[in-house]
Amino acid sequence: MANRKKNITEAKGTILLVTATKAESIYFNQMRKDCRYMNLTVEWAGSEKLSLKQLIDITGKKKLAGKFQYVWALFGFDEVGCDNETLKEMKEYAERKKINLCYFSPCFEIWFALHLGPLGAVVSNPELIRNRVKSAIKGFDMSPEFLLTNGLNLHLQLFSRHATADLNARNYNDIAKMQTGLAATTMPEFNECIQTVCGKADMSHNQKAFK
């Protein structure tokens, strides 16, 4: 009798994600838990209103404190006072430190907006993005308070739209590149890293939540 192969996905390394805000760390820890990404570590940088350089430096220190094959610093432009010129400068600085940048222009909430549908034109006003998300998600507020109470299962609620959001982000990046010369978000690249290193999401323990 032929031996049945065990369905085991071996870890292909480890990922460190350092976020610019505490709220982002809570959201991505929701993702880590929901999807059982055991080789993903999510940490908050520890202070709000950092510059992008400060965020990269803190990420570098956290990288040295552990053994990580892939390291990402995550931020919205508005959180670190970033613009396209600053990003171009700091990308080279991050590359020298072997840190990847997962960024969102003009704000992190654009990732949630892309779950709701495509964006056909570049949006530079963060409030327009936030209002779109607030109109679709009851009580939404990108804060630790919301994510630890009414938004405790936000990632789980949005999970079924994750692939669509990734596609919308790629299409939106094409539009942004034509207008500004830069992608609006590198979340698709981070998603690829997750898939390569952590494998497919294991949502079996969340079956009751989908009924």
Side-chain angles (χ1 to χ4, degrees):
M1 181 182 293
N3 293 328
R4 295 180 64 182
K5 293 183 179 180
K6 293 183 178 180
N7 185 21
I8 298 176
T9 301
E10 294 184 1
K12 299 179 180 179
T14 53
I15 302 174
L16 171 65
L17 176 67
V18 180
T19 66
T21 70
K22 184 176 182 179
E24 289 160 351
S25 71
I26 294 171
Y27 176 76
F28 282 96
N29 268 309
Q30 287 183 4
M31 180 186 77
R32 181 185 61 80
K33 178 183 176 183
D34 291 342
C35 300
R36 288 188 173 176
Y37 291 149
M38 303 306 294
N39 46 340
L40 169 65
T41 298
V42 181
E43 296 186 11
W44 172 38
S47 179
E48 307 279 343
K49 301 299 181 182
L50 297 170
S51 69
L52 180 50
K53 182 179 184 302
Q54 288 172 322
L55 176 61
I56 293 171
D57 287 341
I58 290 171
T59 302
K61 291 179 181 178
K62 290 181 178 292
K63 172 187 175 183
L64 294 175
K67 296 180 179 179
F68 302 102
Q69 281 71 51
Y70 305 89
V71 180
W72 293 79
L74 181 145
F75 59 95
F77 271 29
D78 59 333
E79 296 161 355
V80 295
C82 187
D83 56 24
N84 286 349
E85 291 305 314
T86 302
L87 179 64
K88 291 176 182 177
E89 295 174 6
M90 288 295 101
K91 280 180 69 176
E92 295 182 3
Y93 182 67
E95 287 171 1
R96 292 199 296 271
K97 291 180 171 287
K98 296 183 179 180
I99 294 171
N100 302 289
L101 301 181
C102 184
Y103 66 81
F104 304 82
S105 175
C107 59
F108 173 74
E109 289 90 337
I110 198 169
W111 177 234
F112 296 138
L114 291 164
H115 281 73
L116 304 175
L119 297 174
V122 172
V123 182
S124 58
N125 186 337
E127 290 308 310
L128 292 178
I129 296 294
R130 293 189 181 105
N131 288 338
R132 175 171 178 163
V133 177
K134 288 178 180 178
S135 66
I137 301 175
K138 184 178 180 180
F140 175 82
D141 180 38
M142 193 59 190
S143 67
E145 292 75 20
F146 172 73
L147 292 170
L148 291 172
T149 54
N150 294 336
L152 190 63
N153 294 315
L154 180 60
H155 174 268
L156 193 59
Q157 293 169 7
L158 295 175
F159 179 78
S160 63
R161 304 179 187 179
H162 184 88
T164 299
D166 187 272
L167 178 59
N168 287 340
R170 294 172 187 274
N171 292 335
Y172 184 61
N173 277 340
D174 290 340
I175 297 171
K177 287 175 184 176
M178 290 181 62
Q179 184 168 325
T180 68
L182 285 173
T185 176
T186 49
M187 187 66 189
E189 285 83 348
F190 180 62
N191 283 334
E192 288 181 3
C193 184
I194 288 284
Q195 289 294 312
T196 299
V197 179
C198 300
K200 292 184 178 180
D202 177 7
M203 304 297 289
S204 59
H205 59 303
N206 291 313
Q207 287 180 352
K208 290 182 179 179
F210 292 112
K211 291 181 180 180

